[in-house]
Amino acid sequence: MSISKGSAGELRSQFFRALDIDVINQTEFEELNMMTTIIGKQLGAFMNYLKSTTIKGKKFSEPSEDYELLS
């Protein structure tokens, strides 16, 4: 996840370059920049959650036998 978060940051820097050389306009830049900022924050929040949770290993229990019978 940290690689994904870093990639979102790298993508944001490429948007600045694209804006500087007129590949995208200001409106497109603002929308793309906002989207990648939100994604970066979501990834960071999820990483913090995973670090702070007391549940280690699998985050969900195995399906019960009743569930397996229904499938």
Side-chain angles (χ1 to χ4, degrees):
M1 281 193 228
S2 61
I3 293 171
S4 296
K5 190 171 184 301
S7 294
E10 288 179 32
L11 185 57
R12 286 180 58 221
S13 73
Q14 294 301 316
F15 293 147
F16 280 98
R17 295 179 74 193
L19 179 64
D20 288 344
I21 60 173
D22 295 324
V23 174
I24 60 175
N25 61 40
Q26 185 67 36
T27 304
E28 292 170 319
F29 167 79
E30 289 171 6
E31 183 178 343
L32 293 167
N33 191 47
M34 179 184 63
M35 288 170 33
T36 52
T37 298
I38 290 169
I39 289 169
K41 288 180 180 182
Q42 289 173 332
L43 284 166
F46 190 46
M47 290 166 60
N48 287 335
Y49 161 76
L50 291 175
K51 287 179 189 176
S52 66
T53 185
T54 58
I55 303 170
K56 300 299 177 196
K58 293 182 180 180
K59 298 296 182 206
F60 302 98
S61 61
E62 294 294 322
S64 68
E65 288 181 22
D66 293 336
Y67 176 79
E68 291 174 7
L69 294 175
L70 294 174
S71 11

PDB file of all heavy atoms in Angstrom, residues 32-71:
ATOM      1  N   LEU A  32      -7.996  16.318 -11.531  1.00  0.00           N
ATOM      2  CA  LEU A  32      -7.094  15.175 -11.392  1.00  0.00           C
ATOM      3  C   LEU A  32      -6.281  15.262 -10.103  1.00  0.00           C
ATOM      4  O   LEU A  32      -6.077  14.257  -9.411  1.00  0.00           O
ATOM      5  CB  LEU A  32      -6.166  15.081 -12.606  1.00  0.00           C
ATOM      6  CG  LEU A  32      -6.847  14.750 -13.927  1.00  0.00           C
ATOM      7  CD1 LEU A  32      -5.893  14.986 -15.089  1.00  0.00           C
ATOM      8  CD2 LEU A  32      -7.378  13.330 -13.926  1.00  0.00           C
ATOM      9  N   ASN A  33      -5.817  16.458  -9.788  1.00  0.00           N
ATOM     10  CA  ASN A  33      -5.032  16.662  -8.574  1.00  0.00           C
ATOM     11  C   ASN A  33      -5.872  16.347  -7.334  1.00  0.00           C
ATOM     12  O   ASN A  33      -5.401  15.695  -6.400  1.00  0.00           O
ATOM     13  CB  ASN A  33      -4.492  18.091  -8.532  1.00  0.00           C
ATOM     14  CG  ASN A  33      -3.476  18.287  -7.447  1.00  0.00           C
ATOM     15  OD1 ASN A  33      -2.569  17.491  -7.275  1.00  0.00           O
ATOM     16  ND2 ASN A  33      -3.629  19.361  -6.705  1.00  0.00           N
ATOM     17  N   MET A  34      -7.127  16.797  -7.348  1.00  0.00           N
ATOM     18  CA  MET A  34      -8.019  16.534  -6.224  1.00  0.00           C
ATOM     19  C   MET A  34      -8.277  15.028  -6.066  1.00  0.00           C
ATOM     20  O   MET A  34      -8.227  14.493  -4.962  1.00  0.00           O
ATOM     21  CB  MET A  34      -9.358  17.256  -6.417  1.00  0.00           C
ATOM     22  CG  MET A  34     -10.353  17.020  -5.298  1.00  0.00           C
ATOM     23  SD  MET A  34     -11.960  17.788  -5.581  1.00  0.00           S
ATOM     24  CE  MET A  34     -12.502  16.929  -7.048  1.00  0.00           C
ATOM     25  N   MET A  35      -8.514  14.346  -7.185  1.00  0.00           N
ATOM     26  CA  MET A  35      -8.788  12.913  -7.119  1.00  0.00           C
ATOM     27  C   MET A  35      -7.597  12.138  -6.557  1.00  0.00           C
ATOM     28  O   MET A  35      -7.761  11.261  -5.701  1.00  0.00           O
ATOM     29  CB  MET A  35      -9.173  12.383  -8.504  1.00  0.00           C
ATOM     30  CG  MET A  35     -10.547  12.841  -8.938  1.00  0.00           C
ATOM     31  SD  MET A  35     -11.025  12.512 -10.660  1.00  0.00           S
ATOM     32  CE  MET A  35     -10.238  11.008 -11.080  1.00  0.00           C
ATOM     33  N   THR A  36      -6.380  12.454  -7.026  1.00  0.00           N
ATOM     34  CA  THR A  36      -5.211  11.720  -6.533  1.00  0.00           C
ATOM     35  C   THR A  36      -4.887  12.092  -5.090  1.00  0.00           C
ATOM     36  O   THR A  36      -4.388  11.260  -4.337  1.00  0.00           O
ATOM     37  CB  THR A  36      -3.983  11.945  -7.432  1.00  0.00           C
ATOM     38  OG1 THR A  36      -3.774  13.338  -7.621  1.00  0.00           O
ATOM     39  CG2 THR A  36      -4.155  11.260  -8.778  1.00  0.00           C
ATOM     40  N   THR A  37      -5.200  13.310  -4.687  1.00  0.00           N
ATOM     41  CA  THR A  37      -5.006  13.700  -3.290  1.00  0.00           C
ATOM     42  C   THR A  37      -5.939  12.890  -2.394  1.00  0.00           C
ATOM     43  O   THR A  37      -5.521  12.378  -1.349  1.00  0.00           O
ATOM     44  CB  THR A  37      -5.262  15.211  -3.112  1.00  0.00           C
ATOM     45  OG1 THR A  37      -4.323  15.932  -3.907  1.00  0.00           O
ATOM     46  CG2 THR A  37      -5.128  15.628  -1.664  1.00  0.00           C
ATOM     47  N   ILE A  38      -7.188  12.762  -2.803  1.00  0.00           N
ATOM     48  CA  ILE A  38      -8.165  11.988  -2.026  1.00  0.00           C
ATOM     49  C   ILE A  38      -7.735  10.531  -1.934  1.00  0.00           C
ATOM     50  O   ILE A  38      -7.777   9.923  -0.863  1.00  0.00           O
ATOM     51  CB  ILE A  38      -9.568  12.116  -2.642  1.00  0.00           C
ATOM     52  CG1 ILE A  38     -10.098  13.532  -2.440  1.00  0.00           C
ATOM     53  CG2 ILE A  38     -10.531  11.094  -2.054  1.00  0.00           C
ATOM     54  CD1 ILE A  38     -11.361  13.850  -3.231  1.00  0.00           C
ATOM     55  N   ILE A  39      -7.307   9.963  -3.055  1.00  0.00           N
ATOM     56  CA  ILE A  39      -6.865   8.562  -3.061  1.00  0.00           C
ATOM     57  C   ILE A  39      -5.666   8.379  -2.133  1.00  0.00           C
ATOM     58  O   ILE A  39      -5.606   7.411  -1.370  1.00  0.00           O
ATOM     59  CB  ILE A  39      -6.538   8.103  -4.493  1.00  0.00           C
ATOM     60  CG1 ILE A  39      -7.837   7.979  -5.302  1.00  0.00           C
ATOM     61  CG2 ILE A  39      -5.765   6.776  -4.495  1.00  0.00           C
ATOM     62  CD1 ILE A  39      -7.628   7.796  -6.783  1.00  0.00           C
ATOM     63  N   GLY A  40      -4.716   9.294  -2.170  1.00  0.00           N
ATOM     64  CA  GLY A  40      -3.555   9.218  -1.282  1.00  0.00           C
ATOM     65  C   GLY A  40      -3.960   9.271   0.183  1.00  0.00           C
ATOM     66  O   GLY A  40      -3.442   8.521   1.015  1.00  0.00           O
ATOM     67  N   LYS A  41      -4.919  10.149   0.495  1.00  0.00           N
ATOM     68  CA  LYS A  41      -5.395  10.247   1.878  1.00  0.00           C
ATOM     69  C   LYS A  41      -6.135   8.981   2.300  1.00  0.00           C
ATOM     70  O   LYS A  41      -5.987   8.519   3.438  1.00  0.00           O
ATOM     71  CB  LYS A  41      -6.308  11.459   2.040  1.00  0.00           C
ATOM     72  CG  LYS A  41      -5.562  12.777   2.001  1.00  0.00           C
ATOM     73  CD  LYS A  41      -6.511  13.948   2.153  1.00  0.00           C
ATOM     74  CE  LYS A  41      -5.766  15.266   2.117  1.00  0.00           C
ATOM     75  NZ  LYS A  41      -6.673  16.405   2.311  1.00  0.00           N
ATOM     76  N   GLN A  42      -6.925   8.411   1.400  1.00  0.00           N
ATOM     77  CA  GLN A  42      -7.635   7.176   1.713  1.00  0.00           C
ATOM     78  C   GLN A  42      -6.655   6.032   1.971  1.00  0.00           C
ATOM     79  O   GLN A  42      -6.826   5.251   2.905  1.00  0.00           O
ATOM     80  CB  GLN A  42      -8.588   6.801   0.579  1.00  0.00           C
ATOM     81  CG  GLN A  42      -9.793   7.704   0.473  1.00  0.00           C
ATOM     82  CD  GLN A  42     -10.633   7.409  -0.756  1.00  0.00           C
ATOM     83  OE1 GLN A  42     -10.132   6.926  -1.775  1.00  0.00           O
ATOM     84  NE2 GLN A  42     -11.922   7.721  -0.666  1.00  0.00           N
ATOM     85  N   LEU A  43      -5.639   5.937   1.136  1.00  0.00           N
ATOM     86  CA  LEU A  43      -4.631   4.894   1.333  1.00  0.00           C
ATOM     87  C   LEU A  43      -3.914   5.085   2.667  1.00  0.00           C
ATOM     88  O   LEU A  43      -3.690   4.129   3.409  1.00  0.00           O
ATOM     89  CB  LEU A  43      -3.626   4.893   0.184  1.00  0.00           C
ATOM     90  CG  LEU A  43      -4.117   4.292  -1.123  1.00  0.00           C
ATOM     91  CD1 LEU A  43      -3.177   4.653  -2.264  1.00  0.00           C
ATOM     92  CD2 LEU A  43      -4.271   2.790  -1.007  1.00  0.00           C
ATOM     93  N   GLY A  44      -3.551   6.327   2.986  1.00  0.00           N
ATOM     94  CA  GLY A  44      -2.884   6.610   4.254  1.00  0.00           C
ATOM     95  C   GLY A  44      -3.755   6.267   5.448  1.00  0.00           C
ATOM     96  O   GLY A  44      -3.279   5.686   6.426  1.00  0.00           O
ATOM     97  N   ALA A  45      -5.032   6.606   5.362  1.00  0.00           N
ATOM     98  CA  ALA A  45      -5.956   6.295   6.458  1.00  0.00           C
ATOM     99  C   ALA A  45      -6.113   4.790   6.631  1.00  0.00           C
ATOM    100  O   ALA A  45      -6.135   4.280   7.762  1.00  0.00           O
ATOM    101  CB  ALA A  45      -7.309   6.950   6.205  1.00  0.00           C
ATOM    102  N   PHE A  46      -6.195   4.067   5.531  1.00  0.00           N
ATOM    103  CA  PHE A  46      -6.331   2.613   5.612  1.00  0.00           C
ATOM    104  C   PHE A  46      -5.066   1.983   6.183  1.00  0.00           C
ATOM    105  O   PHE A  46      -5.130   1.064   7.005  1.00  0.00           O
ATOM    106  CB  PHE A  46      -6.666   2.039   4.243  1.00  0.00           C
ATOM    107  CG  PHE A  46      -7.058   0.587   4.266  1.00  0.00           C
ATOM    108  CD1 PHE A  46      -7.953   0.101   5.208  1.00  0.00           C
ATOM    109  CD2 PHE A  46      -6.549  -0.299   3.337  1.00  0.00           C
ATOM    110  CE1 PHE A  46      -8.320  -1.245   5.227  1.00  0.00           C
ATOM    111  CE2 PHE A  46      -6.905  -1.631   3.344  1.00  0.00           C
ATOM    112  CZ  PHE A  46      -7.795  -2.106   4.290  1.00  0.00           C
ATOM    113  N   MET A  47      -3.907   2.506   5.789  1.00  0.00           N
ATOM    114  CA  MET A  47      -2.640   2.005   6.330  1.00  0.00           C
ATOM    115  C   MET A  47      -2.574   2.252   7.837  1.00  0.00           C
ATOM    116  O   MET A  47      -2.152   1.363   8.592  1.00  0.00           O
ATOM    117  CB  MET A  47      -1.462   2.680   5.621  1.00  0.00           C
ATOM    118  CG  MET A  47      -1.294   2.238   4.186  1.00  0.00           C
ATOM    119  SD  MET A  47      -0.191   3.287   3.218  1.00  0.00           S
ATOM    120  CE  MET A  47       1.327   3.133   4.117  1.00  0.00           C
ATOM    121  N   ASN A  48      -3.015   3.433   8.276  1.00  0.00           N
ATOM    122  CA  ASN A  48      -3.030   3.730   9.715  1.00  0.00           C
ATOM    123  C   ASN A  48      -3.980   2.808  10.461  1.00  0.00           C
ATOM    124  O   ASN A  48      -3.677   2.345  11.555  1.00  0.00           O
ATOM    125  CB  ASN A  48      -3.410   5.191   9.962  1.00  0.00           C
ATOM    126  CG  ASN A  48      -2.296   6.133   9.593  1.00  0.00           C
ATOM    127  OD1 ASN A  48      -1.122   5.761   9.590  1.00  0.00           O
ATOM    128  ND2 ASN A  48      -2.651   7.351   9.265  1.00  0.00           N
ATOM    129  N   TYR A  49      -5.134   2.536   9.872  1.00  0.00           N
ATOM    130  CA  TYR A  49      -6.084   1.609  10.486  1.00  0.00           C
ATOM    131  C   TYR A  49      -5.453   0.234  10.657  1.00  0.00           C
ATOM    132  O   TYR A  49      -5.542  -0.377  11.725  1.00  0.00           O
ATOM    133  CB  TYR A  49      -7.365   1.497   9.654  1.00  0.00           C
ATOM    134  CG  TYR A  49      -8.154   0.264   9.978  1.00  0.00           C
ATOM    135  CD1 TYR A  49      -8.908   0.184  11.152  1.00  0.00           C
ATOM    136  CD2 TYR A  49      -8.125  -0.855   9.153  1.00  0.00           C
ATOM    137  CE1 TYR A  49      -9.612  -0.967  11.481  1.00  0.00           C
ATOM    138  CE2 TYR A  49      -8.819  -2.002   9.465  1.00  0.00           C
ATOM    139  CZ  TYR A  49      -9.558  -2.054  10.631  1.00  0.00           C
ATOM    140  OH  TYR A  49     -10.246  -3.198  10.957  1.00  0.00           O
ATOM    141  N   LEU A  50      -4.819  -0.259   9.609  1.00  0.00           N
ATOM    142  CA  LEU A  50      -4.218  -1.592   9.671  1.00  0.00           C
ATOM    143  C   LEU A  50      -3.105  -1.660  10.713  1.00  0.00           C
ATOM    144  O   LEU A  50      -2.923  -2.674  11.373  1.00  0.00           O
ATOM    145  CB  LEU A  50      -3.697  -2.007   8.298  1.00  0.00           C
ATOM    146  CG  LEU A  50      -4.770  -2.284   7.246  1.00  0.00           C
ATOM    147  CD1 LEU A  50      -4.124  -2.561   5.892  1.00  0.00           C
ATOM    148  CD2 LEU A  50      -5.678  -3.424   7.655  1.00  0.00           C
ATOM    149  N   LYS A  51      -2.359  -0.564  10.866  1.00  0.00           N
ATOM    150  CA  LYS A  51      -1.294  -0.534  11.877  1.00  0.00           C
ATOM    151  C   LYS A  51      -1.855  -0.502  13.291  1.00  0.00           C
ATOM    152  O   LYS A  51      -1.263  -1.064  14.210  1.00  0.00           O
ATOM    153  CB  LYS A  51      -0.407   0.704  11.674  1.00  0.00           C
ATOM    154  CG  LYS A  51       0.500   0.622  10.490  1.00  0.00           C
ATOM    155  CD  LYS A  51       1.300   1.904  10.379  1.00  0.00           C
ATOM    156  CE  LYS A  51       2.066   1.963   9.075  1.00  0.00           C
ATOM    157  NZ  LYS A  51       2.758   3.240   8.909  1.00  0.00           N
ATOM    158  N   SER A  52      -2.990   0.167  13.469  1.00  0.00           N
ATOM    159  CA  SER A  52      -3.499   0.379  14.824  1.00  0.00           C
ATOM    160  C   SER A  52      -4.485  -0.679  15.309  1.00  0.00           C
ATOM    161  O   SER A  52      -4.760  -0.742  16.505  1.00  0.00           O
ATOM    162  CB  SER A  52      -4.178   1.751  14.912  1.00  0.00           C
ATOM    163  OG  SER A  52      -5.335   1.769  14.104  1.00  0.00           O
ATOM    164  N   THR A  53      -5.010  -1.486  14.430  1.00  0.00           N
ATOM    165  CA  THR A  53      -6.009  -2.467  14.843  1.00  0.00           C
ATOM    166  C   THR A  53      -5.378  -3.556  15.708  1.00  0.00           C
ATOM    167  O   THR A  53      -4.201  -3.893  15.546  1.00  0.00           O
ATOM    168  CB  THR A  53      -6.720  -3.085  13.626  1.00  0.00           C
ATOM    169  OG1 THR A  53      -7.755  -3.948  14.094  1.00  0.00           O
ATOM    170  CG2 THR A  53      -5.768  -3.896  12.766  1.00  0.00           C
ATOM    171  N   THR A  54      -6.156  -4.064  16.632  1.00  0.00           N
ATOM    172  CA  THR A  54      -5.667  -5.157  17.474  1.00  0.00           C
ATOM    173  C   THR A  54      -5.833  -6.502  16.786  1.00  0.00           C
ATOM    174  O   THR A  54      -5.283  -7.495  17.244  1.00  0.00           O
ATOM    175  CB  THR A  54      -6.426  -5.178  18.813  1.00  0.00           C
ATOM    176  OG1 THR A  54      -7.826  -5.325  18.551  1.00  0.00           O
ATOM    177  CG2 THR A  54      -6.164  -3.909  19.595  1.00  0.00           C
ATOM    178  N   ILE A  55      -6.584  -6.532  15.712  1.00  0.00           N
ATOM    179  CA  ILE A  55      -6.787  -7.774  14.961  1.00  0.00           C
ATOM    180  C   ILE A  55      -5.561  -7.981  14.079  1.00  0.00           C
ATOM    181  O   ILE A  55      -5.234  -7.134  13.250  1.00  0.00           O
ATOM    182  CB  ILE A  55      -8.052  -7.706  14.103  1.00  0.00           C
ATOM    183  CG1 ILE A  55      -9.269  -7.415  14.965  1.00  0.00           C
ATOM    184  CG2 ILE A  55      -8.236  -8.993  13.310  1.00  0.00           C
ATOM    185  CD1 ILE A  55     -10.519  -7.092  14.163  1.00  0.00           C
ATOM    186  N   LYS A  56      -4.880  -9.065  14.254  1.00  0.00           N
ATOM    187  CA  LYS A  56      -3.692  -9.357  13.460  1.00  0.00           C
ATOM    188  C   LYS A  56      -3.971 -10.567  12.580  1.00  0.00           C
ATOM    189  O   LYS A  56      -4.819 -11.395  12.881  1.00  0.00           O
ATOM    190  CB  LYS A  56      -2.486  -9.646  14.364  1.00  0.00           C
ATOM    191  CG  LYS A  56      -2.139  -8.484  15.277  1.00  0.00           C
ATOM    192  CD  LYS A  56      -1.765  -7.257  14.486  1.00  0.00           C
ATOM    193  CE  LYS A  56      -1.489  -6.093  15.428  1.00  0.00           C
ATOM    194  NZ  LYS A  56      -1.482  -4.827  14.745  1.00  0.00           N
ATOM    195  N   GLY A  57      -3.260 -10.681  11.503  1.00  0.00           N
ATOM    196  CA  GLY A  57      -3.473 -11.796  10.587  1.00  0.00           C
ATOM    197  C   GLY A  57      -4.692 -11.532   9.735  1.00  0.00           C
ATOM    198  O   GLY A  57      -4.924 -10.430   9.269  1.00  0.00           O
ATOM    199  N   LYS A  58      -5.505 -12.559   9.544  1.00  0.00           N
ATOM    200  CA  LYS A  58      -6.707 -12.417   8.739  1.00  0.00           C
ATOM    201  C   LYS A  58      -7.663 -11.449   9.420  1.00  0.00           C
ATOM    202  O   LYS A  58      -7.908 -11.537  10.613  1.00  0.00           O
ATOM    203  CB  LYS A  58      -7.392 -13.764   8.545  1.00  0.00           C
ATOM    204  CG  LYS A  58      -6.586 -14.731   7.711  1.00  0.00           C
ATOM    205  CD  LYS A  58      -7.357 -16.015   7.525  1.00  0.00           C
ATOM    206  CE  LYS A  58      -6.556 -16.989   6.685  1.00  0.00           C
ATOM    207  NZ  LYS A  58      -7.278 -18.243   6.477  1.00  0.00           N
ATOM    208  N   LYS A  59      -8.210 -10.541   8.666  1.00  0.00           N
ATOM    209  CA  LYS A  59      -9.111  -9.534   9.226  1.00  0.00           C
ATOM    210  C   LYS A  59     -10.543 -10.057   9.346  1.00  0.00           C
ATOM    211  O   LYS A  59     -11.368  -9.464   9.993  1.00  0.00           O
ATOM    212  CB  LYS A  59      -9.115  -8.268   8.374  1.00  0.00           C
ATOM    213  CG  LYS A  59      -7.755  -7.603   8.307  1.00  0.00           C
ATOM    214  CD  LYS A  59      -7.317  -7.131   9.669  1.00  0.00           C
ATOM    215  CE  LYS A  59      -5.981  -6.423   9.586  1.00  0.00           C
ATOM    216  NZ  LYS A  59      -5.221  -6.441  10.773  1.00  0.00           N
ATOM    217  N   PHE A  60     -10.844 -11.171   8.703  1.00  0.00           N
ATOM    218  CA  PHE A  60     -12.183 -11.731   8.759  1.00  0.00           C
ATOM    219  C   PHE A  60     -12.090 -13.202   9.120  1.00  0.00           C
ATOM    220  O   PHE A  60     -11.147 -13.892   8.762  1.00  0.00           O
ATOM    221  CB  PHE A  60     -12.890 -11.575   7.415  1.00  0.00           C
ATOM    222  CG  PHE A  60     -12.988 -10.146   6.986  1.00  0.00           C
ATOM    223  CD1 PHE A  60     -12.082  -9.602   6.091  1.00  0.00           C
ATOM    224  CD2 PHE A  60     -13.972  -9.323   7.492  1.00  0.00           C
ATOM    225  CE1 PHE A  60     -12.164  -8.284   5.703  1.00  0.00           C
ATOM    226  CE2 PHE A  60     -14.065  -7.999   7.116  1.00  0.00           C
ATOM    227  CZ  PHE A  60     -13.159  -7.476   6.221  1.00  0.00           C
ATOM    228  N   SER A  61     -13.094 -13.686   9.809  1.00  0.00           N
ATOM    229  CA  SER A  61     -13.082 -15.101  10.186  1.00  0.00           C
ATOM    230  C   SER A  61     -13.477 -15.951   8.985  1.00  0.00           C
ATOM    231  O   SER A  61     -14.046 -15.465   8.011  1.00  0.00           O
ATOM    232  CB  SER A  61     -14.055 -15.350  11.343  1.00  0.00           C
ATOM    233  OG  SER A  61     -15.361 -15.015  10.938  1.00  0.00           O
ATOM    234  N   GLU A  62     -13.178 -17.212   9.072  1.00  0.00           N
ATOM    235  CA  GLU A  62     -13.545 -18.143   8.014  1.00  0.00           C
ATOM    236  C   GLU A  62     -15.065 -18.291   7.971  1.00  0.00           C
ATOM    237  O   GLU A  62     -15.730 -18.192   8.997  1.00  0.00           O
ATOM    238  CB  GLU A  62     -12.896 -19.512   8.280  1.00  0.00           C
ATOM    239  CG  GLU A  62     -11.376 -19.495   8.188  1.00  0.00           C
ATOM    240  CD  GLU A  62     -10.882 -19.204   6.786  1.00  0.00           C
ATOM    241  OE1 GLU A  62     -11.498 -19.684   5.810  1.00  0.00           O
ATOM    242  OE2 GLU A  62      -9.883 -18.469   6.673  1.00  0.00           O
ATOM    243  N   PRO A  63     -15.632 -18.545   6.788  1.00  0.00           N
ATOM    244  CA  PRO A  63     -17.083 -18.748   6.713  1.00  0.00           C
ATOM    245  C   PRO A  63     -17.497 -19.959   7.545  1.00  0.00           C
ATOM    246  O   PRO A  63     -16.756 -20.935   7.651  1.00  0.00           O
ATOM    247  CB  PRO A  63     -17.332 -19.008   5.242  1.00  0.00           C
ATOM    248  CG  PRO A  63     -16.100 -18.622   4.522  1.00  0.00           C
ATOM    249  CD  PRO A  63     -14.980 -18.631   5.513  1.00  0.00           C
ATOM    250  N   SER A  64     -18.664 -19.858   8.110  1.00  0.00           N
ATOM    251  CA  SER A  64     -19.163 -20.975   8.908  1.00  0.00           C
ATOM    252  C   SER A  64     -19.609 -22.106   7.993  1.00  0.00           C
ATOM    253  O   SER A  64     -19.795 -21.926   6.788  1.00  0.00           O
ATOM    254  CB  SER A  64     -20.335 -20.522   9.778  1.00  0.00           C
ATOM    255  OG  SER A  64     -21.444 -20.208   8.944  1.00  0.00           O
ATOM    256  N   GLU A  65     -19.819 -23.287   8.589  1.00  0.00           N
ATOM    257  CA  GLU A  65     -20.280 -24.434   7.808  1.00  0.00           C
ATOM    258  C   GLU A  65     -21.650 -24.156   7.207  1.00  0.00           C
ATOM    259  O   GLU A  65     -21.948 -24.586   6.102  1.00  0.00           O
ATOM    260  CB  GLU A  65     -20.327 -25.683   8.686  1.00  0.00           C
ATOM    261  CG  GLU A  65     -18.963 -26.222   9.047  1.00  0.00           C
ATOM    262  CD  GLU A  65     -19.056 -27.476   9.894  1.00  0.00           C
ATOM    263  OE1 GLU A  65     -20.093 -28.151   9.852  1.00  0.00           O
ATOM    264  OE2 GLU A  65     -18.069 -27.758  10.586  1.00  0.00           O
ATOM    265  N   ASP A  66     -22.493 -23.423   7.929  1.00  0.00           N
ATOM    266  CA  ASP A  66     -23.822 -23.092   7.418  1.00  0.00           C
ATOM    267  C   ASP A  66     -23.712 -22.289   6.115  1.00  0.00           C
ATOM    268  O   ASP A  66     -24.464 -22.501   5.187  1.00  0.00           O
ATOM    269  CB  ASP A  66     -24.622 -22.285   8.439  1.00  0.00           C
ATOM    270  CG  ASP A  66     -24.953 -23.104   9.676  1.00  0.00           C
ATOM    271  OD1 ASP A  66     -24.980 -24.361   9.558  1.00  0.00           O
ATOM    272  OD2 ASP A  66     -25.174 -22.508  10.741  1.00  0.00           O
ATOM    273  N   TYR A  67     -22.755 -21.380   6.084  1.00  0.00           N
ATOM    274  CA  TYR A  67     -22.564 -20.571   4.897  1.00  0.00           C
ATOM    275  C   TYR A  67     -22.122 -21.442   3.725  1.00  0.00           C
ATOM    276  O   TYR A  67     -22.599 -21.289   2.615  1.00  0.00           O
ATOM    277  CB  TYR A  67     -21.527 -19.470   5.149  1.00  0.00           C
ATOM    278  CG  TYR A  67     -21.214 -18.660   3.916  1.00  0.00           C
ATOM    279  CD1 TYR A  67     -22.083 -17.660   3.500  1.00  0.00           C
ATOM    280  CD2 TYR A  67     -20.063 -18.900   3.172  1.00  0.00           C
ATOM    281  CE1 TYR A  67     -21.816 -16.911   2.366  1.00  0.00           C
ATOM    282  CE2 TYR A  67     -19.799 -18.156   2.025  1.00  0.00           C
ATOM    283  CZ  TYR A  67     -20.671 -17.160   1.636  1.00  0.00           C
ATOM    284  OH  TYR A  67     -20.395 -16.433   0.510  1.00  0.00           O
ATOM    285  N   GLU A  68     -21.237 -22.395   3.985  1.00  0.00           N
ATOM    286  CA  GLU A  68     -20.742 -23.268   2.921  1.00  0.00           C
ATOM    287  C   GLU A  68     -21.868 -24.124   2.366  1.00  0.00           C
ATOM    288  O   GLU A  68     -21.908 -24.424   1.173  1.00  0.00           O
ATOM    289  CB  GLU A  68     -19.600 -24.129   3.442  1.00  0.00           C
ATOM    290  CG  GLU A  68     -18.345 -23.320   3.736  1.00  0.00           C
ATOM    291  CD  GLU A  68     -17.258 -24.157   4.389  1.00  0.00           C
ATOM    292  OE1 GLU A  68     -17.418 -25.385   4.497  1.00  0.00           O
ATOM    293  OE2 GLU A  68     -16.246 -23.544   4.790  1.00  0.00           O
ATOM    294  N   LEU A  69     -22.818 -24.532   3.219  1.00  0.00           N
ATOM    295  CA  LEU A  69     -23.931 -25.337   2.749  1.00  0.00           C
ATOM    296  C   LEU A  69     -24.858 -24.543   1.814  1.00  0.00           C
ATOM    297  O   LEU A  69     -25.482 -25.102   0.924  1.00  0.00           O
ATOM    298  CB  LEU A  69     -24.745 -25.879   3.940  1.00  0.00           C
ATOM    299  CG  LEU A  69     -24.015 -26.878   4.838  1.00  0.00           C
ATOM    300  CD1 LEU A  69     -24.896 -27.221   6.034  1.00  0.00           C
ATOM    301  CD2 LEU A  69     -23.666 -28.141   4.058  1.00  0.00           C
ATOM    302  N   LEU A  70     -24.931 -23.229   2.026  1.00  0.00           N
ATOM    303  CA  LEU A  70     -25.807 -22.391   1.222  1.00  0.00           C
ATOM    304  C   LEU A  70     -25.213 -22.112  -0.146  1.00  0.00           C
ATOM    305  O   LEU A  70     -25.928 -21.815  -1.087  1.00  0.00           O
ATOM    306  CB  LEU A  70     -26.093 -21.065   1.930  1.00  0.00           C
ATOM    307  CG  LEU A  70     -26.889 -21.169   3.222  1.00  0.00           C
ATOM    308  CD1 LEU A  70     -26.964 -19.813   3.894  1.00  0.00           C
ATOM    309  CD2 LEU A  70     -28.273 -21.714   2.957  1.00  0.00           C
ATOM    310  N   SER A  71     -23.903 -22.195  -0.297  1.00  0.00           N
ATOM    311  CA  SER A  71     -23.288 -21.841  -1.578  1.00  0.00           C
ATOM    312  C   SER A  71     -23.329 -22.961  -2.575  1.00  0.00           C
ATOM    313  O   SER A  71     -23.720 -24.015  -2.429  1.00  0.00           O
ATOM    314  CB  SER A  71     -21.863 -21.405  -1.454  1.00  0.00           C
ATOM    315  OG  SER A  71     -21.253 -21.604  -0.260  1.00  0.00           O
TER     316      SER A  71
END
